[in-house]
Amino acid sequence: MSTTEQSADATTTDGSWDVVVVGAGTGGCYASATIANAGYDVVVLERKTEEEAGHIACGDALKGADGFPDAIPKSKIEPAFTNTDVDHGRFEIPQEDTVLDIPVPGELAVIDRDEYGKRLIEGTTEAGTEIHYDTVVTDVIQAEDGRVTGVEAIRKGEPLTYEAAVVVDGAGSLSVLQDMIDFSESTFDTNVDFSHFSSAYREVVTVEEPVEWDDALVFKPTERSAGYLWYFPRTETEINVGLGFQMTEEPMKLVEGLKRDLENRPEFEGATVKDKLGAALPTRRPYDSATHPGYVAVGDAAAHVNPTTGGGIAGAAYAGEYAGEQIIEGLERGEIDEDVLWPYNERVMDHYGGRYAALDVYNILTIGADIDDLTGLLATIPGDKLSEALYSGSTSMGLKFKLEALIKSRGHWDTIWNMYKTKQRADEILAHYEDYPSSPEGLGDWQRERDELMEKVYETTGAEPKY
Ligand SMILES: Cc1cc2nc3c(=O)[nH]c(=O)nc-3n(C[C@H](O)[C@H](O)[C@H](O)COP(=O)(O)OP(=O)(O)OC[C@H]3O[C@@H](n4cnc5c(N)ncnc54)[C@H](O)[C@@H]3O)c2cc1C
């Protein structure tokens, strides 16, 4: 932490802005476009060069693009959707010699991530945002009362100060900004540990012949630990292949693990690698609160990621929009305190945060349970029925299916019972998030009740406490 006065002596002041956004990723671009569309002065600070900006480690699968926020018109990003024929997940379970095809409802696309990233930046620029590339944010400026009032940065060796009414943290997973802020006077969630993250690596590979599964997102459990491999077809001959594992597990050699699997797949014979990149991603519940006076975190910086799939593009886009709208309200009122920002937390929890927190319960189950038992059980369930169960809730499953599944899954009944109890715990968590408080004052009581429910989750799953 530093004060405005201290930093201004030592550095060049790069102006005073309504809003400074750190990071030109999905969250930063949607937040800045929303605010710039309303006529405010917004600058995005991006550590990468103009050429590299938008180049992000990703599996390139996009779910729910049909309903994306319109701060950046969909027509702007659509040309980056290189495969819109994907309509199901394909789960390969080699231990059981089974392949499960599971239909996925809603719009699904595999994208050229680099092109998408560039188009987002173009979209926010067209909305009126200024982008400063090669600009690494190195410190956060906090006033005596704790309010964030700007950031310190370095561009090509030159120290800079940016002052603003509000700073948006869109700096991604493990955002360094949060290490620099004293959150003791706000509700901002500081219960964050490295074990809440996954490490992931991906390559974009070109194959000689079209793959047969160009309409599917292919998943496969890794040989060991609770990780998975993916094969996502950007086109029928350009595949995003990658793997990831939860950091609670013993570290995996990601590059070697991927290489081994590729060598065993005939369709990748003679394939060439176009691009390689790795990164960490949050696979935990969303932050209980991502607000602080003068500061708000969006996207990966607030863990707005589906913790079971690692999908975070959609969450970051919506978070950007919701945060942007509250910031506009604050700028109009002339006060960016937690009260005005709070509906941002509420909207995130209402839209997807509660669901992600409930899904996190299944992540916790994989820490406590035997993975072979779980995959063995999965292999006994027909794909269309599994899809029904996943997307409509188990209560909608027909009695006939329940009986069939029960007979087929003999030998897995202990695991089924465990899953059934876990689902009850997940439903309790989901219901509790529906009562997310309507003001910062209610957060403490709500957290205490949620933590009591989490105790039951650890008891049921046998996992070590995650939070
Ligand atoms: C290997 C991998 C595979 C994934 N696969 C998928 C997938 O298939 N589908 C999906 O939906 N999601 C996927 N995700 C998650 C998804 O990529 C993220 O959730 C999403 O990109 C989050 O967007 P964001 O804007 O929050 O952060 P980011 O996209 O990470 O953007 C953060 C930006 O901030 C900049 N920055 C960071 N620190 C500073 C600083 N100090 N100063 C200035 N700039 C800074 C970075 O350079 C970057 O441009 C995957 C993630 C990984 C790692």
Side-chain angles (χ1 to χ4, degrees), residues 144-163:
E144 292 291 319
D145 63 359
R147 175 177 305 270
V148 168
T149 58
V151 296
E152 307 280 2
I154 290 198
R155 182 161 58 241
K156 295 184 175 158
E158 186 193 2
L160 298 160
T161 298
Y162 289 81
E163 286 162 12

Side-chain angles (χ1 to χ4, degrees), residues 15-21 43 141 148-151 162-167 294:
S16 192
W17 301 80
D18 292 320
V19 183
V20 166
V21 177
V43 63
I141 307 164
V148 168
T149 58
V151 296
Y162 289 81
E163 286 162 12
V166 59
V167 171

Side-chain angles (χ1 to χ4, degrees), residues 193-198 225-227 245-250 283-285 307-308 359-372 374 418-419 422 454 457-467:
D193 185 80
F194 84 96
S195 61
H196 303 162
F197 292 79
S198 286
S225 51
F245 72 98
Q246 187 81 25
M247 289 196 195
T248 40
E249 303 289 321
E250 240 179 65
T283 36
R284 50 157 288 153
R285 67 187 180 205
T308 51
L359 285 170
D360 185 43
V361 170
Y362 295 101
N363 248 4
I364 292 169
L365 171 70
T366 63
I367 298 168
D370 183 325
I371 295 298
D372 286 343
L374 290 177
N418 199 3
M419 284 286 281
T422 304
M454 287 305 294
V457 170
Y458 303 132
E459 226 171 84
T460 303
T461 58
E464 287 291 311
K466 181 169 174 178
Y467 300 100

Side-chain angles (χ1 to χ4, degrees), residues 22-28 45-48 53-54 56-63 113 135-138 170-173 176-177 200-202 230 232 243 277-282 298-301 304-305 309-314 316:
V22 185
T26 302
L45 310 182
E46 172 54 54
R47 67 180 170 193
K48 294 180 183 165
I56 306 263
C58 190
D60 302 347
L62 188 55
K63 186 163 182 323
R113 187 64 180 74
T135 308
V136 185
V137 171
T138 52
S173 202
V176 293
L177 275 70
Y201 168 77
R202 71 97 176 98
W230 70 81
F232 295 167
L243 79 171
L277 217 51
L281 73 158
V298 297
D300 278 12
H304 293 149
V305 177
T309 63
I313 299 175

Side-chain angles (χ1 to χ4, degrees), residues 202-208 211 231-242 258 262 267-276:
R202 71 97 176 98
E203 294 179 356
V204 177
V205 172
T206 308
V207 292
E208 288 172 354
V211 294
Y231 292 86
F232 295 167
R234 278 179 166 200
T235 67
E236 53 185 20
T237 54
E238 190 171 290
I239 320 295
N240 181 312
V241 301
L258 186 61
L262 282 171
E267 65 268 48
F268 285 92
E269 216 179 291
T272 49
V273 178
K274 200 175 139 184
D275 190 32
K276 302 174 178 189

Side-chain angles (χ1 to χ4, degrees), residues 96-159:
E96 302 288 325
D97 202 16
T98 299
V99 173
L100 266 179
D101 284 319
I102 301 177
V104 178
E107 192 182 343
L108 205 58
V110 187
I111 61 176
D112 179 330
R113 187 64 180 74
D114 211 14
E115 172 80 6
Y116 160 84
K118 295 261 182 308
R119 286 180 164 272
L120 279 188
I121 291 171
E122 228 173 80
T124 189
T125 309
E126 283 166 12
T129 300
E130 208 169 297
I131 315 254
H132 292 180
Y133 297 101
D134 303 297
T135 308
V136 185
V137 171
T138 52
D139 203 356
V140 177
I141 307 164
Q142 227 174 338
E144 292 291 319
D145 63 359
R147 175 177 305 270
V148 168
T149 58
V151 296
E152 307 280 2
I154 290 198
R155 182 161 58 241
K156 295 184 175 158
E158 186 193 2

